[in-house]
Coordinates of all heavy atoms in Angstrom, one line a residue:
M1451 N -14.8 -8.5 30.3 CA -14.5 -9.0 29.0 C -14.0 -8.0 28.1 O -13.1 -8.1 27.3 CB -15.9 -9.5 28.5 CG -15.9 -10.0 27.0 SD -15.0 -11.5 26.9 CE -15.4 -12.0 25.2
K1452 N -14.6 -6.7 28.3 CA -14.1 -5.6 27.4 C -12.6 -5.2 27.8 O -11.9 -5.0 26.8 CB -14.9 -4.3 27.6 CG -16.2 -4.4 27.0 CD -17.0 -3.1 27.2 CE -18.4 -3.2 26.6 NZ -19.1 -1.9 26.8
R1453 N -12.3 -5.3 29.0 CA -10.9 -5.0 29.4 C -9.9 -6.0 28.8 O -8.9 -5.7 28.4 CB -10.7 -5.0 30.9 CG -11.4 -3.8 31.5 CD -11.1 -3.7 33.0 NE -11.9 -2.6 33.6 CZ -11.8 -2.3 34.8 NH1 -11.0 -3.0 35.6 NH2 -12.5 -1.3 35.2
S1454 N -10.3 -7.3 28.7 CA -9.4 -8.3 28.1 C -9.2 -8.0 26.6 O -8.1 -8.2 26.0 CB -9.9 -9.6 28.4 OG -11.1 -9.9 27.8
L1455 N -10.3 -7.6 26.0 CA -10.2 -7.3 24.5 C -9.2 -6.1 24.3 O -8.5 -6.1 23.4 CB -11.5 -7.1 24.0 CG -12.5 -8.3 23.9 CD1 -13.9 -7.8 23.4 CD2 -11.9 -9.2 23.0
F1456 N -9.4 -5.1 25.2 CA -8.5 -3.9 25.0 C -7.1 -4.3 25.3 O -6.2 -3.6 24.8 CB -9.1 -2.7 25.9 CG -10.2 -2.0 25.3 CD1 -11.4 -2.0 25.9 CD2 -10.2 -1.4 24.0 CE1 -12.5 -1.3 25.4 CE2 -11.3 -0.9 23.5 CZ -12.5 -0.7 24.1
A1457 N -6.9 -5.2 26.3 CA -5.5 -5.6 26.6 C -4.9 -6.3 25.4 O -3.6 -6.2 25.2 CB -5.5 -6.5 27.8
L1458 N -5.7 -7.0 24.6 CA -5.1 -7.8 23.4 C -5.0 -6.9 22.2 O -4.2 -7.2 21.3 CB -6.0 -8.9 23.1 CG -6.1 -10.1 24.2 CD1 -7.1 -11.1 23.7 CD2 -4.7 -10.7 24.4
L1459 N -5.6 -5.7 22.1 CA -5.5 -4.9 21.0 C -4.1 -4.4 20.6 O -3.7 -4.6 19.6 CB -6.4 -3.7 21.2 CG -6.5 -2.7 20.0 CD1 -7.1 -3.4 18.8 CD2 -7.3 -1.5 20.3
P1460 N -3.2 -4.0 21.6 CA -1.8 -3.6 21.2 C -1.0 -4.8 20.7 O -0.3 -4.7 19.8 CB -1.2 -3.1 22.6 CG -2.4 -2.7 23.4 CD -3.5 -3.6 23.0
L1461 N -1.3 -6.0 21.3 CA -0.6 -7.2 20.7 C -1.0 -7.4 19.3 O -0.2 -7.7 18.5 CB -0.9 -8.4 21.6 CG -0.2 -9.7 21.2 CD1 1.2 -9.5 21.2 CD2 -0.7 -10.8 22.1
A1462 N -2.3 -7.4 19.0 CA -2.8 -7.5 17.6 C -2.2 -6.5 16.6 O -1.8 -6.8 15.6 CB -4.3 -7.5 17.6
L1463 N -2.2 -5.3 17.1 CA -1.6 -4.2 16.3 C -0.1 -4.4 16.0 O 0.4 -4.1 14.9 CB -1.9 -2.8 16.8 CG -3.3 -2.4 16.9 CD1 -3.4 -1.1 17.5 CD2 -3.9 -2.3 15.5
A1464 N 0.6 -4.8 17.0 CA 2.0 -5.1 16.9 C 2.4 -6.2 15.9 O 3.3 -6.1 15.2 CB 2.6 -5.4 18.3
T1465 N 1.6 -7.3 15.9 CA 1.8 -8.4 15.0 C 1.4 -8.0 13.6 O 1.9 -8.5 12.7 CB 1.0 -9.6 15.4 OG1 -0.3 -9.3 15.5 CG2 1.6 -10.1 16.8
A1466 N 0.5 -7.0 13.5 CA 0.1 -6.6 12.1 C 1.0 -5.6 11.5 O 1.0 -5.4 10.2 CB -1.4 -6.1 12.1
A1467 N 1.7 -4.9 12.3 CA 2.5 -3.8 11.8 C 3.5 -4.1 10.7 O 3.6 -3.4 9.8 CB 3.3 -3.1 13.0
P1468 N 4.3 -5.2 10.9 CA 5.3 -5.5 9.8 C 4.7 -5.6 8.4 O 5.2 -5.1 7.4 CB 5.9 -6.7 10.2 CG 5.8 -6.8 11.6 CD 4.4 -6.2 11.9
A1469 N 3.5 -6.3 8.3 CA 2.8 -6.4 7.0 C 2.4 -5.1 6.4 O 2.4 -4.9 5.2 CB 1.7 -7.4 7.1
V1470 N 1.9 -4.3 7.3 CA 1.4 -2.9 6.9 C 2.4 -2.1 6.3 O 2.4 -1.3 5.4 CB 0.6 -2.3 8.1 CG1 0.3 -0.9 7.7 CG2 -0.6 -3.1 8.4
M1471 N 3.7 -2.2 7.0 CA 4.8 -1.3 6.7 C 5.3 -1.7 5.3 O 6.0 -0.9 4.7 CB 5.9 -1.4 7.7 CG 5.4 -0.9 9.1 SD 5.0 0.8 9.2 CE 6.6 1.6 9.0
A1472 N 5.1 -2.8 4.8 CA 5.7 -3.4 3.6 C 5.6 -2.5 2.4 O 6.5 -2.3 1.6 CB 5.2 -4.8 3.4
Q1473 N 4.4 -1.9 2.3 CA 4.1 -1.1 1.1 C 3.7 0.4 1.3 O 3.2 1.0 0.5 CB 3.1 -1.8 0.2 CG 3.5 -3.2 -0.3 CD 2.5 -3.8 -1.3 OE1 1.4 -3.5 -1.3 NE2 3.1 -4.7 -2.1
K1474 N 4.2 0.8 2.5 CA 4.1 2.3 2.7 C 5.2 2.9 2.0 O 5.2 4.1 1.7 CB 4.2 2.5 4.2 CG 2.9 2.3 4.9 CD 2.9 2.8 6.3 CE 1.5 3.3 6.7 NZ 1.5 4.1 7.8
E1475 N 6.3 2.2 1.8 CA 7.4 2.7 1.0 C 7.8 1.7 -0.2 O 8.0 0.6 0.1 CB 8.7 2.8 1.9 CG 9.9 3.4 1.2 CD 11.0 3.8 2.0 OE1 10.9 3.9 3.2 OE2 12.1 3.9 1.5
I1476 N 7.7 2.2 -1.4 CA 7.9 1.4 -2.5 C 9.1 2.0 -3.4 O 9.3 3.2 -3.4 CB 6.7 1.3 -3.4 CG1 6.1 2.5 -3.9 CG2 5.6 0.5 -2.6 CD1 5.0 2.5 -4.9
P1477 N 9.8 1.2 -4.1 CA 10.8 1.7 -5.0 C 10.1 2.3 -6.3 O 9.0 1.9 -6.7 CB 11.7 0.6 -5.4 CG 10.7 -0.6 -5.2 CD 9.8 -0.3 -4.1
K1478 N 10.7 3.3 -6.9 CA 10.2 3.8 -8.1 C 10.4 2.7 -9.2 O 11.4 2.0 -9.2 CB 11.0 5.1 -8.6 CG 10.7 6.3 -7.7 CD 11.4 7.5 -8.2 CE 11.2 8.7 -7.2 NZ 12.0 9.8 -7.6
A1479 N 9.3 2.6 -10.0 CA 9.4 1.6 -11.1 C 10.5 1.9 -12.1 O 10.7 3.1 -12.4 CB 8.0 1.4 -11.8
P1480 N 11.1 0.9 -12.7 CA 12.1 1.2 -13.7 C 11.6 2.0 -14.8 O 10.5 1.7 -15.3 CB 12.5 -0.3 -14.2 CG 12.2 -1.1 -13.0 CD 11.0 -0.5 -12.4
G1481 N 12.3 3.0 -15.3 CA 11.9 3.9 -16.3 C 10.9 5.0 -15.9 O 10.4 5.8 -16.7
H1482 N 10.7 5.2 -14.6 CA 9.7 6.2 -14.1 C 10.5 7.0 -13.1 O 11.2 6.6 -12.2 CB 8.5 5.6 -13.4 CG 7.7 4.8 -14.4 ND1 6.6 5.5 -15.1 CD2 7.5 3.5 -14.8 CE1 6.0 4.5 -15.9 NE2 6.6 3.4 -15.6
D1483 N 10.3 8.4 -13.2 CA 10.8 9.3 -12.2 C 9.8 9.9 -11.3 O 10.1 10.7 -10.4 CB 11.7 10.4 -12.8 CG 10.9 11.2 -13.8 OD1 9.8 10.9 -14.2 OD2 11.4 12.3 -14.2
Q1484 N 8.5 9.5 -11.5 CA 7.5 10.0 -10.7 C 6.9 8.8 -9.8 O 7.3 7.6 -10.0 CB 6.3 10.5 -11.5 CG 6.8 11.7 -12.4 CD 5.6 12.1 -13.3 OE1 4.6 11.4 -13.4 NE2 5.8 13.3 -13.9
C1485 N 6.1 9.2 -8.9 CA 5.5 8.2 -8.0 C 4.0 8.0 -8.4 O 3.4 8.8 -8.9 CB 5.5 8.7 -6.5 SG 7.2 8.8 -5.9
P1486 N 3.5 6.8 -8.1 CA 2.1 6.5 -8.4 C 1.2 7.3 -7.5 O 1.6 7.9 -6.5 CB 2.0 5.0 -8.1 CG 3.1 4.6 -7.2 CD 4.2 5.6 -7.5
L1487 N -0.1 7.4 -7.9 CA -1.2 8.1 -7.1 C -1.2 7.6 -5.7 O -1.2 6.3 -5.4 CB -2.5 7.8 -7.8 CG -3.7 8.5 -7.3 CD1 -3.6 9.9 -7.5 CD2 -5.0 7.9 -7.9
G1488 N -1.2 8.5 -4.8 CA -1.2 8.2 -3.4 C 0.1 8.1 -2.6 O 0.2 8.0 -1.4
Y1489 N 1.2 8.3 -3.4 CA 2.5 8.2 -2.9 C 3.2 9.5 -3.1 O 3.0 10.3 -4.1 CB 3.3 7.1 -3.6 CG 2.9 5.7 -3.1 CD1 1.8 5.1 -3.6 CD2 3.7 5.1 -2.1 CE1 1.5 3.8 -3.1 CE2 3.3 3.9 -1.6 CZ 2.2 3.3 -2.1 OH 1.8 2.1 -1.6
V1490 N 4.2 9.8 -2.2 CA 4.9 11.1 -2.3 C 6.3 10.7 -2.7 O 7.0 9.8 -2.1 CB 4.9 11.8 -0.9 CG1 5.8 13.1 -0.9 CG2 3.4 12.2 -0.5
N1491 N 6.9 11.6 -3.5 CA 8.3 11.4 -4.0 C 9.2 11.8 -2.9 O 9.2 12.9 -2.4 CB 8.5 12.3 -5.2 CG 9.8 11.9 -6.0 OD1 10.7 11.4 -5.5 ND2 9.8 12.3 -7.2
T1492 N 10.2 10.9 -2.6 CA 11.2 11.2 -1.6 C 12.5 11.8 -2.1 O 13.4 12.1 -1.4 CB 11.7 9.9 -0.8 OG1 12.3 9.1 -1.8 CG2 10.6 9.2 -0.1
L1493 N 12.4 12.2 -3.4 CA 13.5 12.8 -4.1 C 14.7 11.9 -4.2 O 15.8 12.3 -4.5 CB 13.9 14.2 -3.6 CG 12.7 15.2 -3.6 CD1 13.2 16.5 -2.9 CD2 12.1 15.4 -5.0
G1494 N 14.4 10.7 -4.0 CA 15.5 9.6 -4.2 C 14.9 8.5 -5.1 O 14.4 8.8 -6.1
S1495 N 15.1 7.3 -4.7 CA 14.6 6.2 -5.6 C 13.4 5.6 -5.0 O 13.1 4.5 -5.4 CB 15.7 5.2 -5.7 OG 16.0 4.7 -4.4
T1496 N 12.8 6.2 -4.0 CA 11.6 5.6 -3.3 C 10.4 6.5 -3.4 O 10.6 7.7 -3.5 CB 11.9 5.1 -1.9 OG1 12.3 6.2 -1.2 CG2 12.9 4.0 -1.9
C1497 N 9.2 6.0 -3.0 CA 8.1 6.8 -2.8 C 7.4 6.3 -1.5 O 7.4 5.0 -1.2 CB 7.1 6.5 -4.0 SG 7.7 6.8 -5.6
V1498 N 6.7 7.2 -0.8 CA 6.2 6.8 0.5 C 4.7 7.3 0.5 O 4.3 8.2 -0.2 CB 6.9 7.5 1.7 CG1 8.3 6.8 1.8 CG2 7.0 8.9 1.6
S1499 N 3.9 6.6 1.4 CA 2.5 6.9 1.5 C 2.2 6.8 3.0 O 2.6 5.9 3.7 CB 1.7 5.9 0.7 OG 0.3 6.1 1.0
P1500 N 1.4 7.7 3.5 CA 1.0 7.6 4.9 C -0.2 6.5 5.1 O -0.5 6.2 6.1 CB 0.3 9.1 5.2 CG -0.1 9.5 3.8 CD 0.9 8.9 2.9
I1501 N -0.7 6.1 4.0 CA -1.8 5.1 4.0 C -1.3 3.8 3.4 O -0.5 3.8 2.4 CB -3.0 5.6 3.1 CG1 -3.5 6.9 3.8 CG2 -4.0 4.5 3.2 CD1 -4.5 7.6 2.9
Y1502 N -1.6 2.7 3.9 CA -1.2 1.4 3.4 C -2.0 1.1 2.2 O -3.2 1.1 2.1 CB -1.5 0.2 4.4 CG -1.4 -1.1 3.8 CD1 -0.1 -1.7 3.6 CD2 -2.5 -1.8 3.5 CE1 0.0 -2.9 3.0 CE2 -2.3 -3.2 2.9 CZ -1.2 -3.6 2.8 OH -1.0 -4.9 2.2
Y1503 N -1.3 0.8 1.1 CA -1.9 0.4 -0.2 C -1.3 -1.0 -0.6 O -0.1 -1.1 -0.4 CB -1.7 1.4 -1.3 CG -2.4 2.7 -1.1 CD1 -1.7 3.9 -0.8 CD2 -3.8 2.8 -1.2 CE1 -2.3 5.0 -0.8 CE2 -4.4 4.0 -1.2 CZ -3.6 5.2 -0.9 OH -4.2 6.4 -0.8
E1504 N -2.1 -1.9 -1.1 CA -1.5 -3.1 -1.7 C -1.2 -2.9 -3.1 O -2.2 -2.7 -3.9 CB -2.4 -4.2 -1.5 CG -1.8 -5.6 -1.8 CD -2.7 -6.8 -1.5 OE1 -3.7 -6.6 -0.7 OE2 -2.3 -7.9 -1.9
V1505 N 0.0 -2.7 -3.5 CA 0.4 -2.4 -4.9 C 1.3 -3.4 -5.4 O 1.9 -4.2 -4.7 CB 1.1 -1.0 -4.9 CG1 0.2 0.1 -4.5 CG2 2.4 -1.0 -4.1
A1506 N 1.3 -3.4 -6.7 CA 2.2 -4.4 -7.5 C 2.7 -3.7 -8.8 O 1.9 -2.9 -9.4 CB 1.4 -5.6 -7.9
P1507 N 3.9 -3.9 -9.2 CA 4.5 -3.3 -10.4 C 3.7 -4.0 -11.6 O 3.3 -5.1 -11.6 CB 5.9 -3.6 -10.4 CG 6.1 -4.7 -9.4 CD 4.9 -4.7 -8.5
T1508 N 3.6 -3.1 -12.6 CA 2.9 -3.6 -13.9 C 3.8 -4.3 -14.8 O 3.3 -5.1 -15.6 CB 2.2 -2.4 -14.6 OG1 3.2 -1.5 -15.0 CG2 1.2 -1.8 -13.8
Y1509 N 5.1 -4.0 -14.8 CA 6.1 -4.5 -15.8 C 5.6 -4.3 -17.2 O 5.8 -5.1 -18.1 CB 6.3 -6.0 -15.5 CG 6.9 -6.2 -14.2 CD1 6.1 -6.9 -13.2 CD2 8.2 -5.8 -13.8 CE1 6.7 -7.2 -11.9 CE2 8.7 -6.0 -12.5 CZ 8.0 -6.7 -11.6 OH 8.5 -7.0 -10.3
G1510 N 4.9 -3.2 -17.4 CA 4.4 -2.9 -18.8 C 3.1 -3.5 -19.2 O 2.7 -3.4 -20.4
E1511 N 2.5 -4.4 -18.3 CA 1.3 -5.1 -18.7 C 0.1 -4.4 -18.1 O 0.3 -3.6 -17.2 CB 1.4 -6.5 -18.1 CG 2.6 -7.3 -18.6 CD 2.5 -7.7 -20.0 OE1 1.4 -8.1 -20.4 OE2 3.6 -7.8 -20.7
A1512 N -1.1 -4.8 -18.5 CA -2.3 -4.3 -17.9 C -2.5 -4.9 -16.5 O -1.9 -5.9 -16.2 CB -3.5 -4.7 -18.8
C1513 N -3.3 -4.2 -15.7 CA -3.5 -4.6 -14.3 C -4.4 -5.8 -14.3 O -5.3 -6.0 -15.2 CB -4.1 -3.5 -13.5 SG -3.1 -2.1 -13.3
K1514 N -4.2 -6.6 -13.4 CA -5.0 -7.9 -13.2 C -6.5 -7.5 -12.8 O -6.7 -6.4 -12.3 CB -4.5 -8.9 -12.1 CG -3.1 -9.4 -12.5 CD -2.6 -10.3 -11.3 CE -1.2 -10.7 -11.5 NZ -0.7 -11.5 -10.3
S1515 N -7.4 -8.4 -13.0 CA -8.8 -8.2 -12.5 C -8.8 -7.9 -11.0 O -8.2 -8.6 -10.3 CB -9.6 -9.4 -12.9 OG -11.0 -9.2 -12.4
G1516 N -9.5 -6.9 -10.7 CA -9.6 -6.5 -9.3 C -8.6 -5.5 -8.8 O -8.5 -5.1 -7.7
W1517 N -7.7 -5.0 -9.7 CA -6.7 -4.1 -9.6 C -6.9 -2.9 -10.5 O -7.5 -3.0 -11.5 CB -5.3 -4.7 -9.8 CG -5.0 -5.8 -8.9 CD1 -5.5 -7.0 -8.8 CD2 -3.9 -5.7 -7.9 NE1 -4.7 -7.8 -7.8 CE2 -3.9 -7.0 -7.3 CE3 -3.0 -4.7 -7.5 CZ2 -3.0 -7.2 -6.2 CZ3 -2.0 -5.1 -6.5 CH2 -2.1 -6.2 -5.8
M1518 N -6.4 -1.8 -10.1 CA -6.6 -0.5 -10.9 C -5.1 0.1 -11.1 O -4.3 0.1 -10.2 CB -7.6 0.5 -10.3 CG -7.1 1.0 -8.9 SD -8.3 2.1 -8.1 CE -8.0 3.6 -9.0
N1519 N -5.0 0.7 -12.3 CA -3.7 1.4 -12.6 C -3.6 2.7 -11.9 O -4.5 3.6 -12.0 CB -3.6 1.6 -14.1 CG -2.2 2.0 -14.5 OD1 -1.5 2.8 -13.9 ND2 -1.9 1.5 -15.7
I1520 N -2.6 2.9 -11.1 CA -2.4 4.1 -10.4 C -1.2 5.0 -10.9 O -0.8 6.0 -10.3 CB -2.2 4.0 -8.9 CG1 -1.1 3.0 -8.6 CG2 -3.5 3.5 -8.2 CD1 -0.8 2.8 -7.0
G1521 N -0.8 4.6 -12.1 CA 0.3 5.2 -12.8 C 1.7 5.0 -12.3 O 1.9 4.2 -11.3
A1522 N 2.7 5.5 -12.9 CA 4.1 5.3 -12.6 C 4.5 3.9 -12.5 O 5.4 3.5 -11.7 CB 4.5 6.1 -11.3
G1523 N 3.9 3.0 -13.3 CA 4.3 1.5 -13.3 C 3.7 0.7 -12.3 O 4.2 -0.4 -12.0
Y1524 N 2.7 1.1 -11.6 CA 2.1 0.3 -10.5 C 0.5 0.1 -10.6 O -0.2 1.0 -11.2 CB 2.4 1.0 -9.1 CG 3.7 0.7 -8.6 CD1 4.8 1.6 -8.8 CD2 3.9 -0.4 -7.9 CE1 6.0 1.3 -8.3 CE2 5.2 -0.6 -7.4 CZ 6.3 0.2 -7.6 OH 7.5 -0.1 -7.1
C1525 N 0.0 -0.9 -10.1 CA -1.4 -1.2 -9.9 C -1.7 -1.3 -8.4 O -0.9 -1.7 -7.7 CB -1.8 -2.6 -10.7 SG -1.5 -2.5 -12.4
K1526 N -2.9 -0.9 -8.1 CA -3.3 -1.0 -6.7 C -4.6 -1.9 -6.6 O -5.4 -1.8 -7.4 CB -3.7 0.4 -6.2 CG -4.3 0.4 -4.7 CD -4.6 1.9 -4.4 CE -6.1 2.2 -4.3 NZ -7.0 1.4 -3.7
K1527 N -4.6 -2.8 -5.6 CA -5.6 -3.6 -5.4 C -6.9 -2.8 -5.0 O -6.9 -2.0 -4.1 CB -5.3 -4.7 -4.3 CG -6.4 -5.8 -4.2 CD -5.9 -6.9 -3.4 CE -6.9 -8.1 -3.5 NZ -6.4 -9.2 -2.7
K1528 N -8.0 -3.1 -5.6 CA -9.2 -2.4 -5.3 C -9.8 -2.9 -4.0 O -9.7 -4.2 -3.7 CB -10.3 -2.7 -6.4 CG -10.0 -2.0 -7.6 CD -11.1 -2.2 -8.7 CE -10.8 -1.6 -10.0 NZ -11.9 -1.9 -11.0
T1529 N -10.3 -2.1 -3.2 CA -10.9 -2.5 -1.9 C -12.4 -2.2 -2.0 O -12.8 -1.2 -2.6 CB -10.3 -1.7 -0.8 OG1 -10.4 -0.4 -1.0 CG2 -8.8 -2.1 -0.5
L1530 N -13.2 -3.1 -1.5 CA -14.7 -3.0 -1.6 C -15.2 -2.9 -3.1 O -16.2 -2.4 -3.4 CB -15.2 -1.8 -0.8 CG -14.8 -1.8 0.7 CD1 -15.3 -0.5 1.3 CD2 -15.4 -3.0 1.3
G1531 N -14.3 -3.3 -4.0 CA -14.7 -3.3 -5.4 C -14.6 -2.0 -6.2 O -15.0 -1.9 -7.3
I1532 N -14.3 -1.0 -5.5 CA -14.3 0.4 -6.1 C -12.9 0.9 -6.2 O -12.3 1.1 -7.3 CB -15.3 1.4 -5.5 CG1 -15.2 1.4 -4.0 CG2 -16.7 0.9 -5.9 CD1 -16.0 2.4 -3.3
F1533 N -12.3 1.4 -5.1 CA -11.1 2.0 -5.0 C -10.1 1.2 -4.2 O -9.2 1.3 -3.7 CB -11.1 3.5 -4.5 CG -11.9 4.4 -5.4 CD1 -13.2 4.8 -5.0 CD2 -11.5 4.8 -6.7 CE1 -13.9 5.5 -5.8 CE2 -12.3 5.6 -7.5 CZ -13.5 6.0 -7.0

C-alpha cells in the first residue's frame, strides 16, 4: 500500500506544479517600482518568490477580508487565519 502511494506522489506533484508556479513570479503593480513583501526584485518588470503566495493586486483599494496588505500594490491571502 505504501509503495503505491509513493508511486502516485510524483504524478500528484506534477499536476499541482502549474498552479503553484502561477504566482511565484508576478508583475510589478502599476505605479510601483518595488516588490511586495516576500518577493525579490528582478530589476525588470517582475518580482519573484521562492515560496508560493496567493496574491492579488489592490488597484488602490483596501484588501478583502481574509487578505493582508503586503505592500507595493498587492494583498496576500492569509493562511491559517494569521499570515
Side-chain angles (χ1 to χ4, degrees):
M1451 177 73 171
K1452 286 184 181 179
R1453 288 185 184 184
S1454 63
L1455 290 176
F1456 284 120
L1458 294 175
L1459 185 60
L1461 179 62
L1463 292 176
T1465 57
V1470 171
M1471 298 298 287
Q1473 293 185 341
K1474 283 188 146 194
E1475 182 174 340
I1476 60 172
K1478 290 181 184 173
H1482 293 274
D1483 60 348
Q1484 298 179 346
C1485 293
L1487 183 67
Y1489 284 83
V1490 177
N1491 193 340
T1492 63
L1493 302 177
S1495 62
T1496 60
C1497 304
V1498 295
S1499 174
I1501 302 170
Y1502 169 76
Y1503 293 110
E1504 189 172 348
V1505 297
T1508 62
Y1509 300 113
E1511 302 290 324
C1513 297
K1514 297 177 185 177
S1515 178
W1517 293 70
M1518 62 184 280
N1519 192 324
I1520 56 173
Y1524 280 93
C1525 293
K1526 177 179 103 48
K1527 188 170 188 177
K1528 292 181 183 180
T1529 54
L1530 300 175
I1532 46 175
F1533 300 104

